[in-house]
Amino acid sequence: MIKPKTRWDVGQWTPVQDERAAKLAAALKLPPLVARLLVARGVDEPEAARLFLEAGPEHMHDPYRLKGMEEAVERIRRSTAEGGKIRIYGDYDADGVSATSLLIRLFRRLGYDFDYYIPDRLKEGYGLNRPAIDQAAAAGVRLLLTVDTGMSAVDEVAYARELGMEVVVTDHHEPPEVLPEAHALINPKQPGCPYPFKGLAGAGVAFKLAHALTGEPPLELADVAALGTIADLMPLTGENRILVRCGLAQMRGGSVPGLRALAEKANVNLAAVTAADVAFGMAPRVNASGRLSHADHAVTLLTTERPEEAEEKAALLDGLNRERQKIVDAIVREAEEMWEARCDRARREGETAPPVIVLAGEGWNVGVIGIVASKLLEKHYKPTVILSVDGETGLCKGSARSIDGYDLHAALTSCAELFEHFGGHQAAAGMTLHRDRLAELERRLGEWALRTLTDEDWIPKTRVDLVCALEEASVETIEQLDRLQPFGADNPSPRVLIANVNVADRRTMGKDGKHLKLSLAGGGRLLDAVGFGMGGYAEQLAQGAYVSVIGELAMNEWNGNRRPQLLMKDLRVEQVQLFDLRGEREPLAALRAVLERTAARERSAAVLAATQAWAEAAAGAAQPEQGAENGTLSFYTFESMPAEGICCEELVLLGEPASGERLAAVLERCNGLEAVHAIYRQERASPGRTRRFPGREQFAKVYQLLRRAERLPERGLSERLAAMAGLPADTVEMMLDVLPNWHLSNGAKEAYM
């Protein structure tokens, strides 16, 4: 038995969904698994599925359906006609940089008189600010055009108007109750906006403005629009799918020097770039510019037409990203030490560790604390707040990340009086408060967690799209799954469950055996499954065990050959596993090896010896420090085992049991048992003694008979199976005592239970 690391959330599947999937598969000639996946994601009509898979630029929405677009276009064109200067005012994150760069490239092509401005993250903070507006007025700017910002800048927009400037706001953030009185507001989320797709990024809104200004989708600008959309974790559904698909195609053409140089520094093959490459390779380097220096470097990279300048800026951003990684690692180490000390203090005071992590450090870089919060959450799976303290003022600026079930915004709202200001949503938030209120913040957020979360909520959850039969994992199916790309927010890479398949082979890969490779068998098929960082499971899996795995189907291409494989994320074994070590020449050496592995995994173990002499030998062979603490290692003979039973996860049989009946009775009295290690040489059967512990091959034969059975008799089950398997009936009866019910088919379960 191996417990999964996470809760597996497998969606319910209904007969109605089966019918819809069959209809889709027939209409679009799709493999059944692909059709089921589309239905599971709410795309359950043939025409909707066709659009999801094939929609192109011709399916983009009319930009003038965005409220405020007509007024914005009229004002920009009037500014150009009158010779007025336009200033693009952007944001310092990858979305804001992409939106700014998109309009710079467009305005250059259209010959507009313009410049741009992005505030310094550390000195000015987010959004419009009065000194920047003063600077614009002094520079003769008549029209201020915001991208990816401005929706909440009520006072700043009014101030700009007082100075004689008009403001056009393009944004995608949630609008506040009071909107700025700008000349035009473009935001698909604003009240009264009829635009049918609400998930545009700031760069996506800028792309729609460019579409309106040019009269057609400017596909040559889709690359930076895709970069911003992916980086800002916008849903890759609806119009964003078209935009990102077109943008990735544009990137693959390699026409933009900055994107070529950026991809090279990120070790991305631009000719085959995917959304994942952008998200994990290219976007972090663009973000590093605004986090540690100034976003101007990233804007220059994305807008320059000179390859040498692009290479220079890409190298700079790559260096900043490496610096960012070092800063993050250093803060994570400090934060981990603080958390350990906080937990130690709680233990000394007889308390449990706080349910919410709240940590603050003086001088921590504000630009990266959100990343630090994400890393601590990933390790500890607790809502996490990380704050940087200003030593002079005592003010703390923080970023928070949450777990499923913990509504971060609601929790912060419940103690709103503690903050100077805060904002965010269920999963992420930002806030400012004084350091004197940190202890109260920890207490209040912890109380909210204890009130609102169940025990189950503290276990990480893995969403599984579908159950997949082993024979469905074919080259054709995986090729068709690629049509669901680009993968990202709201359209993640499909995750499947392959249940109860045999481990035909297992081995470790890579340096120090860090990775795991399994060969899964079932239905006459074999499938390779690879688990990166899962090498420790190799010694926990018994040969021939039945395992359930979740992961992502992928293509393994090597030397011109293409084979399907599963990239594993988690696994479980639900039955008690048998490790058959009866061929070992040195039983006590084998025992020591088992106990070493058990102790390293901090698991409870018991040794059952056939005789007292074996028990004493085992106790002498076991090193005292291995598992001896807290009574986690015990030694018994079959006769001395307590009548009330024992608690152990690992049971070692040292010496052959006297009979199958005795072994079955012992196993029934082991609570929490997950694995049995049989360590002894099996003697030849003597006359009249037929019932002995079965071998691996015999177990496998009975397993297969039960799995194939549609219906088995309630009475005489062991005799029937014995006749089918060619084994003694009492041996099969003992095997049924050990076998868990989950191995049986539905019909056999009903009979056996």
Side-chain angles (χ1 to χ4, degrees), residues 398-677:
S399 287
R401 300 293 183 269
S402 191
I403 65 176
D404 273 354
Y406 189 86
D407 188 330
L408 193 53
H409 188 266
L412 295 176
T413 302
S414 72
C415 50
E417 72 277 7
L418 299 178
F419 305 108
E420 300 290 320
H421 55 81
F422 73 95
H425 48 81
Q426 184 275 331
M431 74 288 294
T432 301
L433 74 162
H434 196 274
R435 70 192 312 168
D436 294 344
R437 295 176 171 178
L438 290 177
E440 180 67 6
L441 177 65
E442 179 190 77
R443 185 184 69 80
R444 298 273 289 276
L445 293 182
E447 288 176 351
W448 181 272
L450 296 176
R451 279 199 310 271
T452 61
L453 298 181
T454 66
D455 290 343
E456 198 175 55
D457 288 328
W458 296 104
I459 304 171
K461 182 167 66 175
T462 299
R463 173 67 182 170
V464 181
D465 290 285
L466 292 171
V467 176
C468 172
L470 204 62
E471 55 269 23
E472 290 186 289
S474 65
V475 169
E476 179 195 3
T477 296
I478 294 170
E479 287 176 341
Q480 291 292 318
L481 281 175
D482 263 355
R483 295 179 65 191
L484 275 68
Q485 293 210 51
F487 296 130
D490 283 15
N491 185 46
S493 183
R495 195 160 284 180
V496 299
L497 164 64
I498 298 178
N500 303 341
V501 288
N502 185 261
V503 178
D505 188 32
R506 71 198 190 288
R507 62 184 177 87
T508 58
M509 305 185 306
K511 185 179 180 181
D512 301 324
K514 187 177 181 180
H515 312 304
L516 175 69
K517 184 173 184 180
L518 302 179
S519 182
L520 305 176
R525 295 284 302 278
L526 286 175
L527 176 68
D528 287 341
V530 176
F532 295 104
M534 298 175 67
Y537 283 108
E539 63 183 21
Q540 300 176 39
L541 280 166
Q543 189 74 24
Y546 281 83
V547 64
S548 294
V549 294
I550 58 173
E552 298 172 7
L553 293 171
M555 200 76 74
N556 181 16
E557 301 190 28
W558 181 254
N559 287 338
N561 295 319
R562 306 174 79 225
R563 298 177 58 187
Q565 68 177 359
L566 184 76
L567 302 179
M568 291 186 292
K569 305 300 179 184
D570 202 0
L571 63 80
R572 71 184 180 203
V573 176
E574 297 193 35
Q575 82 275 30
V576 176
Q577 293 194 93
L578 170 64
F579 292 84
D580 192 350
L581 304 174
R582 290 175 293 175
E584 295 293 324
R585 293 179 177 273
E586 300 291 338
L588 293 181
L591 170 67
R592 280 195 297 271
V594 169
L595 295 181
E596 284 173 3
R597 292 195 297 269
T598 299
R601 295 172 56 206
E602 298 181 354
R603 293 166 67 80
S604 58
V607 179
L608 277 183
T611 65
Q612 184 62 37
W614 269 116
E616 292 172 0
Q623 298 176 20
E625 69 271 20
Q626 293 172 349
E629 296 179 9
N630 303 319
T632 57
L633 176 59
S634 307
F635 297 89
Y636 307 96
T637 64
F638 285 91
E639 286 72 19
S640 67
M641 181 178 177
E644 66 275 13
I646 58 175
C647 292
C648 65
E649 295 164 297
E650 308 264 353
L651 178 69
V652 180
L653 302 177
L654 192 59
E656 186 175 7
S659 67
E661 291 89 346
R662 176 62 59 84
L663 175 59
V666 164
L667 294 179
E668 288 178 0
R669 287 152 56 197
C670 291
N671 300 314
L673 185 62
E674 297 182 10
V676 177
H677 305 263

Side-chain angles (χ1 to χ4, degrees), residues 43-60:
V43 187
D44 55 8
E45 293 295 335
E47 186 55 31
R50 189 173 285 108
L51 285 173
F52 186 87
L53 297 173
E54 301 171 1
E58 67 277 10
H59 295 99
M60 287 183 174

Side-chain angles (χ1 to χ4, degrees), residues 330-348 351-361 364 372-373 375-387 438-439 441-443 445-446 449-450 458:
I331 297 176
V332 166
R333 284 194 297 271
E334 286 184 50
E336 285 287 0
E337 291 172 2
M338 286 184 183
W339 178 241
E340 289 176 13
R342 178 70 184 88
C343 294
D344 287 342
R345 186 168 76 248
R347 280 192 291 270
R348 289 195 301 271
E351 301 173 353
T352 58
V356 175
I357 298 173
V358 178
L359 301 171
W364 285 352
V372 175
K375 287 184 175 291
L376 264 70
L377 180 144
E378 183 179 352
K379 180 175 180 179
H380 300 287
Y381 203 68
K382 290 179 178 231
T384 302
V385 183
I386 302 295
L387 305 106
L438 290 177
L441 177 65
E442 179 190 77
R443 185 184 69 80
L445 293 182
L450 296 176
W458 296 104

